[in-house]
Amino acid sequence: MDQAHLAADLALAAGDLETRLSFSALGERSLVVRDLATDGPIGSWPGGPIVIGVDRAAALPAADPEYDVLLTTAPEAARPWVSRGDIDAALAQIRATLARAPVASSLAASVVRTGEGLSFEAALTIESLAYSALLGGQEFQRWRTETPRSASVEEDGPPVRVDREGGVLRIILSRPGKRNALSAAMRDGLCDALGLAALDPSIASAELSGEGETFCAGGDFQEFGSASDLASAHVLRLTASAALAAYRVRERLSVRGHGAIVGGGLEIAAAAADFRVRPGAQMWLPEVTMGLIPGAGGTVTVPRRIGRQRALYMMLSAARIDVATALDWGLVDGVIP
């Protein structure tokens, strides 16, 4: 489709239902890519397409904040830009995600956009409602059918260890045999430990780390999709939110990450005021490729660190972010020697 026809259709979409549907997650044009050197601005509407602006000339033009993702070939570009030497490869990653999970992709964009102007608690509520809706959707059900549940691993001891020395509370993720995958029991243990820090003013600082080779491999696949009552699951998700518990003590909380910091592990860590990683760490958000959105607070915590456009790029591409990029973006606050 040429740009003149695209612009006409986008204008028509403000009032024409059939055209709006064609640009929605249920239509064939759920992604619109605009060349910022030649194309004009674009408006947005609820349920509309994901809109990506590309700067192939590395000119870094003034870009309309309505864009969901902004890609440039300019190296180390400032927020909200995502610097990628090969823009076509970056777009291919995003298109692959949209082809597999258009509804989850659209909801990710809507939730991140909506949460931008809300309180932490309100934005978390929007995330949880969308997450529960997607748990009942065809995209996640297909992923669940295609992905066998992992074998059970016998574990010794609690999934979260808590030690206190004076005014320092040390919280340790302790499922090394499962790469510290975030289970319901681990989530509850984290909430209890962080809740203790919130209730006890004599705890001057809390430190969160993980045992083994991985800080946290994300949600435990063994438990994904096990909720039968999605409305009740929403209530439980908010009541037992480790991200919210971390946010409430964020000024006293430091996170020390290493290895893979994935999904829920990254989402919770990003709530802390001090998040540092070891060399070689990698961070990514794979949930949208599974037909979901980040559901452990990541649509709130990650955008508040790196901005909406970069956060949505992480969600739509599932790209692995290295330490140098994480530092440059502000996703992490430093590197542990």
Side-chain angles (χ1 to χ4, degrees):
M1 173 178 293
D2 63 45
Q3 291 299 321
H5 287 154
L6 175 60
D9 278 352
L10 288 169
L12 184 63
D16 181 79
L17 176 59
E18 183 177 352
T19 307
R20 284 205 307 274
L21 283 172
S22 75
F23 280 105
S24 76
L26 305 179
E28 70 278 7
R29 293 183 284 181
S30 60
L31 175 67
V32 172
V33 178
R34 307 283 278 175
D35 188 326
L36 297 176
T38 58
D39 300 335
I42 179 175
S44 65
W45 61 89
I50 292 168
V51 185
I52 298 178
V54 299
D55 168 36
R56 297 180 183 277
L60 298 177
D64 191 323
E66 292 296 326
Y67 285 99
D68 293 301
V69 178
L70 288 162
L71 299 173
T72 181
T73 56
E76 299 179 359
R79 177 173 168 176
W81 295 97
V82 174
S83 295
R84 287 294 176 263
D86 189 341
I87 283 182
D88 290 326
L91 289 173
Q93 286 180 304
I94 293 170
R95 286 192 173 104
T97 301
L98 264 71
R100 180 169 181 80
V103 174
S105 299
S106 178
L107 273 180
S110 295
V111 168
V112 172
R113 180 185 288 273
T114 302
E116 195 173 31
L118 300 178
S119 69
F120 190 96
E121 292 82 357
L124 202 66
T125 300
I126 298 295
E127 174 190 280
S128 180
L129 286 167
Y131 189 88
S132 271
L134 288 168
L135 281 174
Q138 293 181 354
E139 294 169 0
F140 173 70
Q141 295 303 321
R142 182 180 65 243
W143 177 88
R144 182 70 278 178
T145 300
E146 294 172 353
T147 308
R149 297 186 187 275
S150 56
S152 298
V153 174
E154 189 171 338
E155 300 176 58
D156 295 324
V160 176
R161 291 194 294 107
V162 181
D163 299 314
R164 180 169 180 175
E165 183 176 345
V168 178
L169 187 72
R170 293 188 174 87
I171 306 168
I172 302 143
L173 306 181
S174 186
R175 301 184 75 203
K178 291 283 287 184
R179 303 175 68 231
N180 290 328
L182 188 62
S183 63
M186 178 179 280
R187 175 203 64 201
D188 294 346
L190 270 173
C191 287
D192 287 343
L194 293 165
L196 176 61
L199 291 170
D200 188 347
S202 70
I203 296 175
S205 64
E207 298 177 0
L208 174 60
S209 61
E211 284 185 352
E213 297 180 355
T214 297
F215 173 76
C216 179
D220 190 337
F221 284 5
Q222 187 73 17
E223 298 181 0
F224 266 34
S226 58
S228 57
D229 183 339
L230 301 184
S232 296
H234 160 66
V235 175
L236 177 61
R237 196 175 301 111
L238 290 180
T239 305
S241 170
L244 181 57
Y247 177 77
R248 285 174 172 163
V249 295
R250 62 191 179 281
E251 297 302 332
R252 290 184 285 150
L253 177 62
S254 61
V255 177
R256 300 294 179 257
H258 68 284
I261 307 170
V262 188
L266 175 59
E267 299 168 50
I268 295 165
D274 182 34
F275 173 27
R276 298 173 187 268
V277 296
R278 295 194 180 279
Q282 289 194 321
M283 291 140 272
W284 70 97
L285 297 170
E287 291 93 340
V288 177
T289 65
M290 300 155 58
L292 297 171
I293 60 172
T299 66
V300 187
T301 60
V302 175
R304 292 181 189 212
R305 275 188 165 268
I306 66 176
R308 172 170 58 85
Q309 286 86 359
R310 286 173 167 176
L312 191 58
Y313 168 76
M314 288 186 66
M315 296 174 202
L316 295 180
S317 68
R320 300 191 180 202
I321 304 302
D322 61 20
V323 173
T325 302
L327 275 170
D328 179 55
W329 286 6
L331 183 58
V332 302
D333 301 298
V335 180
I336 306 165

